[in-house]
Amino acid sequence: MPLTLINPMNETVIRAAAPPARLQTLAGKKIGLLDISKPGGSLFLDRLEKILLEQFQVSEVSRTRKPTFTKNRSRAGQRPGASRLRCRVCAASHSGPDTRTDLRAC
């Protein structure tokens, strides 16, 4: 029986496209803002909307809100490598003479 090997990689050639031309002005344009439900995000977007309407004369600001922000993970459900990253951050924040001892506390 012959063996068939299949390459799972995409062989499509991707051609670079030029980016669209930058707008000269926002006046009269419709702008969309996405609230990702982080604490304080709506306050920031409220201020940004006011600036866009008053200073840049946009015609309309459309707001959409994601239902929830990313949920916290339990330690058991963390991604691989998260504890190593936490230890690196911990090591950078400790200035004690024995960093290895400090890292065990993290």
Side-chain angles (χ1 to χ4, degrees):
M1 182 165 165
L3 180 65
T4 303
L5 296 177
I6 300 173
N7 184 353
M9 297 179 62
N10 186 354
E11 297 178 2
T12 306
V13 177
I14 299 172
R15 295 187 180 111
R22 182 175 279 235
L23 296 174
Q24 296 299 316
T25 181
L26 293 176
K29 304 294 187 218
K30 295 179 182 179
I31 304 293
L33 300 176
L34 175 63
D35 186 343
I36 60 172
S37 301
K38 279 191 170 184
S42 61
L43 298 173
F44 170 75
L45 293 178
D46 289 343
R47 180 71 177 129
L48 180 58
E49 180 176 356
K50 184 177 178 182
I51 291 170
L52 288 168
L53 290 169
E54 293 175 1
Q55 295 181 16
F56 293 92
Q57 294 81 36
V58 299
S59 65
E60 181 183 341
V61 176
S62 174
R63 300 268 297 260
T64 303
R65 182 178 174 101
K66 285 176 64 174
T68 59
F69 178 57
T70 305
K71 296 179 181 170
N72 293 333
R73 296 173 186 247
S74 66
R75 282 197 160 204
Q78 287 181 341
R79 291 183 206 136
S83 61
R84 282 181 292 178
L85 177 60
R86 187 174 42 256
C87 286
R88 287 182 188 161
V89 171
C90 186
S93 66
H94 285 82
S95 59
D98 187 1
T99 304
R100 281 182 248 156
T101 303
D102 291 336
L103 286 177
R104 289 185 198 121
C106 292

